[in-house]
């Protein structure tokens, strides 16, 4: 393929013909007017940067569905091919041959049904990915308020699902018509495992580990090992030592090369028993070990699907609180209008650094309004500072007398001293 060279100052092959003059009217007619950039464009760009999980989760679910369908097809096809090979080499009677072929045909029909179901599942996942891309593309400066409202509902659904409020999350998604924009089906998968662990049953969690074995191995997950240890502990708790030893040989021994110390500690429970007072082994029989497994599963589940470990609601709130947090927020006289006056927000902001304030802002204790050159601060003889507007109104109502709302001390308005903000 040949490409014409672009003319430049040293290009001797360029034509010597001078370009035709362009009149202002012609330039105006040929130019397409560029719309002014939206004032919300920077805000929109920053908002879209936070939507990684929004696309990652359905894509990971889509890949998982494809892998599961592929494994099922390979398994069935391998069984059918093996059956055909056996039939070709075996000396069947006509009736046996017909029966054998009928069983293969039934198996192929079952495979066809699985392929159709798998195809429908893949199409649904692809549709969800498409819906989310369309949702992101629909965001612009004109409908930013509506788009942000939808995002708030998505964040609330995410929080409810993580906190196990599944029914409420489903109702909110249905009322808002955002089923394709939230991950209810993904969290329903986790729900079964979490409820089983809360009921002290590791079987669904082990099945989940087997289903995602390659990815968990790649991330060096210890979840399956922790589940196996707990199952061993339950056998010891039931004083079924022979079964516990057999179980350890079959399921725990392969982990010895990488987790020998933990393995030795758990195996020692065969000697110390469930009613031991030794703190090292007593903790292994405590009920909180199941809570630890639930937390461990949630972490691995989030990693597998590319989710944040913290709920999105917490992350967004912390982003806002980081701009508001100052040492004054944790004092008893913190104004009630400050979100950090509430204990729940204080706890959420605890790991955050203090906001860097280049300029101090003075807010009147009485009116809650900003004190500036238009409404300068006035200093009472006791050292407390209030805005001119608030003190003038108080003086008008009390014949020129001022009462400090904090100490109850009374002064004449003439005793006030004006303060200057530098």
């Amino acid at each position: 393929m040949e490409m014409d060279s672009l003319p430049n100052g040293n290009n001797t092959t360029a034509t010597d013909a001078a370009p035709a003059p362009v009149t202002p009217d012609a330039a105006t007619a040929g130019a397409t007017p560029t719309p002014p950039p939206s004032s919300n464009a920077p805000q929109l760009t920053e908002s879209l940067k936070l939507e990684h999980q929004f696309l990652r989760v359905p894509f990971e679910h889509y890949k998982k569905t494809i892998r599961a369908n592929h494994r099922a097809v390979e398994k069935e096809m391998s069984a059918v091919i093996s059956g055909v090979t056996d039939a070709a080499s075996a000396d069947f009677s006509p009736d046996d041959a017909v029966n054998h072929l009928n069983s293969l045909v039934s198996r192929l029909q079952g495979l066809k049904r699985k392929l159709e179901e798998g195809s429908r599942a893949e199409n649904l996942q692809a549709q969800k990915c498409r819906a989310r891309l369309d949702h992101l593309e629909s965001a612009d400066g004109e409908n930013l308020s509506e788009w942000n409202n939808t995002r708030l509902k998505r964040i609330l659904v995410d929080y409810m699902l993580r906190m196990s409020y599944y029914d409420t999350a489903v109702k909110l998604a249905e009322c808002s018509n955002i089923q394709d924009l939230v991950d209810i089906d993904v969290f329903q998968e986790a729900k079964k495992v979490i409820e089983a662990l809360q009921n002290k049953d590791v079987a669904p969690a082990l099945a989940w580990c087997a289903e995602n074995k390659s990815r968990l191995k790649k991330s060096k997950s210890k979840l399956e090992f922790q589940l196996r240890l707990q199952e061993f502990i339950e056998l010891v708790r039931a004083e079924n030592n022979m079964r516990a030893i057999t179980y350890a040989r079959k399921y725990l021994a392969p982990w010895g090369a990488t987790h020998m110390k933990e393995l030795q500690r758990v195996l020692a429970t065969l000697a110390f028993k469930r009613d031991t007072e030794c703190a090292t082994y007593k903790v292994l029989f405590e009920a909180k070990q199941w809570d630890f497994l639930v937390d461990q599963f949630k972490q691995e589940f989030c990693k597998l699907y590319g989710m944040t470990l913290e709920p999105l609601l917490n992350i967004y709130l912390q982003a806002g609180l980081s701009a508001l947090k100052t040492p004054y927020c944790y004092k008893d006289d913190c104004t009630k209008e400050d979100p950090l006056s509430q204990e729940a927000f204080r706890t959420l902001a605890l790991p955050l650094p203090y906001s860097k304030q280049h300029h101090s802002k003075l807010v009147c204790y009485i009116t809650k309004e900003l004190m500036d050159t238009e409404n300068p601060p006035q200093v009472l003889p006791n050292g407390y500072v209030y805005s001119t507007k608030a003190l003038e109104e108080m003086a008008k109502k009390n014949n020129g007398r001022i009462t400090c709302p904090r100490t109850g001390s009374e002064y004449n308005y003439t005793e006030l001293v004006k303060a200057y903000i530098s």
Side-chain angles (χ1 to χ4, degrees), residues 1 14 160 204 215 238 289 305:
M1 180 183 294
M160 292 173 186
R215 299 196 62 193
Q289 293 296 320
Y305 282 103

Side-chain angles (χ1 to χ4, degrees), residues 57-58 61 124-125 128 132 161 179 182-191 301 305:
V57 175
H61 201 196
L124 286 174
Q125 295 301 327
K128 184 168 286 191
R132 297 195 181 194
L161 290 170
Q179 292 94 324
V182 292
D183 305 306
I184 293 174
D185 51 344
V186 174
F187 280 97
Q188 290 287 1
E189 175 189 339
K191 177 186 176 184
F301 183 82
Y305 282 103

Side-chain angles (χ1 to χ4, degrees), residues 32 47 101 133 135 200 209 218 229 272 347 363 365 387:
T32 303
S47 296
L101 289 173
L133 286 171
H135 176 68
K200 300 183 179 180
C209 289
K218 190 180 295 184
L229 290 182
F272 282 88
T347 303
V363 178
Y365 180 84
S387 68

